[in-house]
Amino acid sequence: AQSVTQPDIHITVSEGASLELRCNYSYGATPYLFWYVQSPGQGLQLLLKYFSGDTLVQGIKGFEAEFKRSQSSFNLRKPSVHWSDAAEYFCAVGLPQGAQKLVFGQGTRLTINP
Amino acid sequence: SQTIHQWPATLVQPVGSPLSLECTVEGTSNPNLYWYRQAAGRGLQLLFYSVGIGQISSEVPQNLSASRPQDRQFILSSKKLLLSDSGFYLCAWSLGGETQYFGPGTRLLVL
C-alpha cells in the first residue's frame, strides 16, 4: 500500500535560519507530490507540487522542494524562515487513479524561535 | 476564481445526535469533491470522494455517509454521532484529478 512518511513530528528553528522538512514515500511508480501548510484551525494551503519535469520545484512563500527518485524523497526547503512560517506542514502523494486520491504524511509541526 | 466554503465552522453535538456538514464550491463546474477527517495531532484521512452528482466512493467503513445532490455541493452526514467522530473535517475540490484545494474546515466536537 502507498504510504508517506514525515520522520520529524516537531522541528524548532530560529528565525532567519534555513529549514529542511523531510518526506519519503512508498509507491510503485512516480507519483504526484505535494506540500501543504496548515495554520492552527485553518484549512490546508498548497505550497508547491511536482508532477513531472524539473525535479526542483519552486513554491509560494519562498519554499522549494526537490524530488529525488532514487531516495523516494520530496524534501521541502527554505533558506531563511520567518516567524510567520510557524505552522503544520504536510507532504502528500497523489495516486493517479481516476479521482486522484491523496495520501498524507502525519505532518511536521514547525516552531520558530525569535 | 474558484472558492470553497464549509459550514458550520464549529459544531458541538451530543453523542447519538445527527450530523450534516456542507461544502460548496464556486467558480468551477464538475469538480471532483473530497471529504477528509483530521484527528487531533494526526494527518488527514480520506473519507469520501465524488466524481459527479450522485456518485460517492467511500474509503473507510464508518458511521458517516456522504451525498452530492448538486454539482458543486457535497454533504457529510451521520444518523447518530459517536465520540470518535470528533475531529476537523476538511472538504477539497479538484479538476481532472489534479491538485486538490481545501476549504477552511469544520471543527466537530462530540460530547
Side-chain angles (χ1 to χ4, degrees), chain A residues 36 38 42-43 49 90 99-100, chain B residues 34 38 88 97-100 103:
Chain A
Y36 288 88
Q38 183 181 35
Q42 304 296 313
K49 60 187 177 184
F90 291 95
Q100 200 212 70
Chain B
Y34 309 81
Q38 184 178 26
F88 193 50
E98 292 197 355
T99 307
Q100 291 184 26

Side-chain angles (χ1 to χ4, degrees), chain A residues 35 45-50 56-66 74 76-78:
Chain A
W35 275 100
Q45 180 183 23
L46 179 69
L47 283 177
L48 46 78
K49 60 187 177 184
Y50 173 78
L56 183 64
V57 294
Q58 303 297 319
I60 62 171
K61 304 184 179 186
F63 286 92
E64 66 177 26
E66 186 172 13
F74 189 56
L76 182 71
R77 301 193 294 247
K78 186 169 184 178

Side-chain angles (χ1 to χ4, degrees), chain A residues 32 34 36 38 41-44 46 49 51 90 97-102 104-107, chain B residues 32 34 36 38 42-44 46 49 51 59 88 90 97-104 107:
Chain A
Y32 297 162
F34 305 84
Y36 288 88
Q38 183 181 35
Q42 304 296 313
L44 273 69
L46 179 69
K49 60 187 177 184
F51 286 176
F90 291 95
Q97 301 166 357
Q100 200 212 70
K101 298 172 283 186
L102 290 183
F104 282 84
Q106 291 297 93
Chain B
N32 295 335
Y34 309 81
Y36 290 85
Q38 184 178 26
R42 302 184 65 180
L44 281 76
L46 179 63
Y49 69 92
V51 299
E59 288 295 297
F88 193 50
L90 289 156
E98 292 197 355
T99 307
Q100 291 184 26
Y101 298 94
F102 286 80
R107 185 161 304 282

Side-chain angles (χ1 to χ4, degrees), chain A residues 15 37-40 45 61 63 78 80-89 110 112:
Chain A
E15 190 168 15
V37 61
Q38 183 181 35
S39 298
Q45 180 183 23
K61 304 184 179 186
F63 286 92
K78 186 169 184 178
S80 176
V81 297
H82 186 262
W83 64 267
S84 59
D85 293 325
E88 188 103 21
Y89 291 80
L110 176 64
I112 308 295

Side-chain angles (χ1 to χ4, degrees), chain B residues 44-64:
Chain B
L44 281 76
Q45 179 185 40
L46 179 63
L47 302 176
F48 302 95
Y49 69 92
S50 171
V51 299
I53 295 175
Q55 300 179 61
I56 308 295
S57 296
S58 175
E59 288 295 297
V60 182
Q62 58 206 312
N63 184 44
L64 302 169

